[in-house]
Amino acid sequence: MTQIRAILFDVFGTVVDWRASLIADLSAWGTAHGITADWAGLADAWRGAYAPSMDRVRRGAQPWTLLDDLHRQSLQTLLPGFGVTGLDDAQILHLSHVWRRLHPWPDSVAGLTTLKQRFTVCALSNGNVALLIAMAKFGGLPWDFVFGSDLTRHYKPDPQTYLGACGFLGLEPAQVLMAAAHPSDLAAAQRLGLRTAFIARPDEYGPGGTADPAGAWDYAVNGIDALAAAL
Amino acid sequence: MTQIRAILFDVFGTVVDWRASLIADLSAWGTAHGITADWAGLADAWRGAYAPSMDRVRRGAQPWTLLDDLHRQSLQTLLPGFGVTGLDDAQILHLSHVWRRLHPWPDSVAGLTTLKQRFTVCALSNGNVALLIAMAKFGGLPWDFVFGSDLTRHYKPDPQTYLGACGFLGLEPAQVLMAAAHPSDLAAAQRLGLRTAFIARPDEYGPGGTADPAGAWDYAVNGIDALAAAL
C-alpha cells in the first residue's frame, strides 16, 4: 500500500458549516439594518444556485469566473424574491463575502491540527484563493496550502482540479487522500487514483438531516478528528 | 495612503538563512556518510548557479523547470568538482532537497506570527509550491499562502510573479507590500506599484558581511520582527 503523504479537503460542508454560518451572519446583519427576511430560505436557495452557476462556466456559457463573483451574481438574482431590495454595492459585496466567514465544524480545527503533524493538509475547493485565505484566517484553519479553483481555472469535479493539486504537491495520486462529505467529489477523485475518505456531515443541510450513504471509500468517519484517529 | 492588506516575502535569504543551513546540513550528511568536502564552497557555488539556471529558463534555452529540479541539475554539475562522486539517485535527491530544509533567521517566525494577525502573510518565491510547503513545515513558518513560481511558471523578477500574486489575492498592487533583502526584487515590485520593505540581512553570504544598501523603499528594517513593529 502506497503511503499517504497529503490530504486534500473539500471545504464547504466538509470542513465548515456553511448553512448555520450563513443563517447566523445574514440574520445578524438583517437585525443591525432593520431588515427582516427568510434568511434560512435565502441560504438554501443561494446554495441551490451554486452548482448551476459553476455548470454555466464549465459548459462555456460564461467565461471563467471566481466563486466569489458567482456568489455575488447569485445573491443579486435571489435577493428581490426574498423582499430585500435597495442595497448598495458595498452591502452586496459584504453579504456575498459571507462565504468567507463560515465557521468550522466543532472537530475541524483540532482534527486538521493533528493531521498536519504527519501529513500535508490542504484545501481543495471550488472557492478561490482569496476566499479560502480569508476563511482560514476567520476560522483558524491551519492549512499547509489552499488549492483554490482559480489555480487551475476549473471547478470540481473536473479532473484538472485533483490532478493539478497532486502535480503541485509533486505526488502521485495514490499518495494523496481526498476527504469530503460528498460522494460525487470522492468518486471523481477515486477514478483518478486518489485515495478517499468520506466524512459524514448529516447536519450539512440543517439539524436532523441524514448523511450521504457511505460508499466504497478507503475510510468512512464521522469527523476530521475521527479521520486523524483512523489514520 | 492606500492601506496595506497583504505582505509578500522573498524567502531565500530574507526569511531563511540558506548558507548556514546548507553548510550544516551537508556537513552532517558528509560526516554520516564518511565524505569530506569543502561544503561551504559547495554552498556558495550552488547558490552561484541559481540565477544563471533561472535565466536559462527565462530565455527559453530550457523549458519550464521547477526550482527543485534546477537545484538538482546544478548540484549534479558541481559535485564532481568538489570530489564527491558515486552518489545514487536517492542520495542526490536528498541533497538537492536541502533547500527544503532551511532554517529561519531568529526573528522570522515571531515576526511573521505577529504580522499574520493584521495582514495576509505570503511567500513570493522562486521556489516551487512543494518546496515552500516542505520548508514551512520544517521551519514552522506560519504562511497564509505560498506563491510558488510554478503557479505562474515565471521566476522573479518577471512581472507575472508580483502581479499574479496580487491577482490571486484580489488586491491592487498598492495594497501589497513586497519584503525582501535584495534591492533587485524590491525594484521590480516597486515598478509595478507594490509597496516595498527592505529587510537587511548582512550575514546572508556569511558572518561579517554587509547588507545591500538601503534604497528608496517605503520601509527599511533589520528583521521581520522590526517590520512588524514599523507597521
Side-chain angles (χ1 to χ4, degrees):
Chain A
M1 206 65 167
T2 311
Q3 199 183 342
I4 293 169
R5 301 280 303 280
I7 310 176
L8 305 176
F9 282 88
D10 171 62
V11 174
F12 300 116
T14 300
V15 176
V16 296
D17 180 359
W18 58 266
R19 188 175 186 275
S21 301
L22 255 66
I23 295 171
D25 191 293
L26 299 174
S27 299
W29 183 89
T31 301
H33 291 77
I35 299 175
T36 306
D38 174 12
W39 301 116
L42 175 60
D44 290 332
W46 203 355
R47 181 64 172 183
Y50 169 70
S53 70
M54 292 186 293
D55 281 340
R56 281 197 300 277
V57 173
R58 193 178 285 110
R59 68 172 189 264
Q62 182 172 345
W64 171 255
T65 307
L66 298 178
L67 190 64
D68 266 338
D69 296 324
L70 292 179
H71 279 149
R72 196 183 66 246
Q73 293 167 7
S74 299
L75 179 68
Q76 289 180 294
T77 303
L78 289 168
L79 278 176
F82 285 84
V84 182
T85 55
L87 304 187
D88 64 27
D89 287 350
Q91 289 175 312
I92 293 282
L93 187 68
H94 172 80
L95 290 181
S96 68
H97 280 183
V98 64
W99 295 91
R100 297 176 168 205
R101 300 188 298 271
L102 304 181
H103 294 275
W105 295 105
D107 54 270
S108 294
V109 173
L112 293 174
T113 302
T114 302
L115 289 167
K116 188 175 177 174
Q117 296 169 26
R118 288 179 50 214
F119 303 98
T120 297
V121 170
C122 306
L124 179 65
S125 172
N126 287 327
N128 43 297
V129 167
L131 181 160
L132 295 170
I133 292 174
M135 184 201 290
K137 292 179 91 71
F138 176 82
L141 300 171
W143 301 122
D144 286 309
F145 192 75
V146 292
F147 287 104
S149 52
D150 42 343
L151 296 181
T152 57
R153 295 195 158 217
H154 280 275
Y155 286 116
K156 291 187 293 179
D158 288 359
Q160 290 88 342
T161 58
Y162 308 96
L163 297 179
C166 295
F168 283 119
L169 293 171
L171 297 175
E172 297 300 319
Q175 296 177 291
V176 178
L177 177 66
M178 180 73 215
H182 312 121
S184 59
D185 200 355
L186 296 179
Q190 193 173 58
R191 277 193 296 273
L192 298 165
L194 286 80
R195 317 277 275 278
T196 51
F198 174 74
I199 299 182
R201 295 298 191 193
D203 296 339
E204 177 176 359
Y205 290 91
T210 50
D212 283 301
W217 319 124
D218 297 305
Y219 302 89
V221 292
N222 290 313
I224 300 178
D225 50 354
L227 179 63
L231 288 171
Chain B
M1 205 66 165
T2 310
Q3 198 183 343
I4 293 169
R5 300 281 303 280
I7 310 175
L8 305 176
F9 283 88
D10 171 63
V11 173
F12 301 116
T14 300
V15 176
V16 296
D17 179 1
W18 59 265
R19 187 175 187 274
S21 301
L22 256 66
I23 295 170
D25 191 294
L26 298 174
S27 299
W29 183 88
T31 301
H33 291 78
I35 299 174
T36 306
D38 174 12
W39 301 116
L42 176 59
D44 291 332
W46 203 356
R47 181 65 171 181
Y50 169 69
S53 69
M54 291 186 294
D55 281 340
R56 280 196 300 279
V57 173
R58 192 177 286 109
R59 67 172 189 265
Q62 183 172 346
W64 170 255
T65 307
L66 297 179
L67 190 65
D68 266 338
D69 296 324
L70 292 178
H71 280 149
R72 196 183 66 245
Q73 293 167 7
S74 299
L75 179 68
Q76 289 179 294
T77 302
L78 289 168
L79 278 175
F82 286 83
V84 182
T85 53
L87 304 187
D88 63 29
D89 287 349
Q91 289 175 313
I92 294 284
L93 187 68
H94 173 80
L95 290 180
S96 68
H97 280 183
V98 64
W99 295 91
R100 297 177 169 204
R101 301 187 296 270
L102 304 181
H103 294 274
W105 296 105
D107 54 270
S108 293
V109 173
L112 293 175
T113 302
T114 302
L115 289 166
K116 188 175 177 176
Q117 295 169 28
R118 286 179 51 214
F119 304 97
T120 297
V121 170
C122 307
L124 179 66
S125 171
N126 288 328
N128 44 297
V129 166
L131 182 160
L132 295 170
I133 292 175
M135 183 201 291
K137 291 178 91 72
F138 176 82
L141 301 170
W143 300 122
D144 286 310
F145 193 76
V146 292
F147 287 103
S149 52
D150 42 344
L151 296 182
T152 57
R153 295 193 158 221
H154 280 275
Y155 286 117
K156 292 189 292 181
D158 288 358
Q160 291 88 341
T161 58
Y162 308 97
L163 297 179
C166 295
F168 283 120
L169 293 172
L171 297 175
E172 297 300 319
Q175 296 176 291
V176 178
L177 176 67
M178 180 74 215
H182 313 121
S184 59
D185 201 355
L186 297 179
Q190 192 172 59
R191 276 193 295 274
L192 298 166
L194 286 80
R195 317 276 276 278
T196 51
F198 175 74
I199 299 181
R201 296 296 191 194
D203 296 338
E204 177 176 358
Y205 290 92
T210 48
D212 283 301
W217 318 124
D218 297 304
Y219 302 89
V221 292
N222 291 313
I224 300 177
D225 48 355
L227 180 62
L231 288 170

